[in-house]
Amino acid sequence: MTHTARRIGRSLALVLPVVMVLSGTLAVTSVQWAESDNNSQLLAASSETVSKPAKPHAPQDVLREKLLVELQEKDPGTALTGLQRAVEQRPSLARHCMSIARALGKAAVEQYGPTRAHRYSRPVCDTSFASGVAQFS
């Protein structure tokens, strides 16, 4: 009798998980997860259309964007002064100073033209502003 009970127990141990998995799979496939309309929208993690680009989070990117806006609203001299003060307050930004100054030079050429933009040149960040103006003229 114990031999027969043991044999039935082993058979159930093998068959029962298979039956549970199959019944679970059939239950999931029979549920209507989405509308059957062709116009329904499906949400996917890999969406190809993004409404807004991500905002820069690095301090140098935030400073660059702020100074570019300041350059457009006021003038390149104000933006260069802001860059110099920011580098003095946060010395960790010094290694990004040249690239930010070049970006300001490019924006100044686009907004004011090369001759007028060159008038705002100052020795901020090793005259990178002037090299940006010259490069994009």
Side-chain angles (χ1 to χ4, degrees), residues 86-115:
V87 170
E88 288 170 359
Q89 291 173 354
R90 292 184 69 182
S92 63
L93 292 171
R95 65 179 174 194
H96 304 286
C97 186
M98 290 174 35
S99 66
I100 295 172
R102 256 187 256 114
L104 291 174
K106 178 183 177 185
V109 168
E110 290 173 357
Q111 185 166 353
Y112 296 101
T115 306

Side-chain angles (χ1 to χ4, degrees), residues 58-73:
Q60 67 271 11
D61 294 336
V62 172
L63 177 63
R64 179 181 290 116
E65 293 301 318
K66 176 186 165 208
L67 292 174
L68 287 171
V69 168
E70 195 170 294
L71 182 139
Q72 290 175 351
E73 292 176 353

Side-chain angles (χ1 to χ4, degrees), residues 24-102:
T25 304
L26 292 174
V28 169
T29 57
S30 67
V31 173
Q32 187 176 2
W33 292 99
E35 294 180 22
S36 60
D37 290 346
N38 291 337
N39 296 333
S40 66
Q41 293 181 348
L42 297 178
L43 299 177
S46 62
S47 177
E48 292 182 20
T49 58
V50 178
S51 59
K52 293 182 181 178
K55 291 185 178 181
H57 293 97
Q60 67 271 11
D61 294 336
V62 172
L63 177 63
R64 179 181 290 116
E65 293 301 318
K66 176 186 165 208
L67 292 174
L68 287 171
V69 168
E70 195 170 294
L71 182 139
Q72 290 175 351
E73 292 176 353
K74 297 178 183 175
D75 63 13
T78 307
L80 285 172
T81 301
L83 175 61
Q84 190 169 9
R85 288 186 182 148
V87 170
E88 288 170 359
Q89 291 173 354
R90 292 184 69 182
S92 63
L93 292 171
R95 65 179 174 194
H96 304 286
C97 186
M98 290 174 35
S99 66
I100 295 172
R102 256 187 256 114

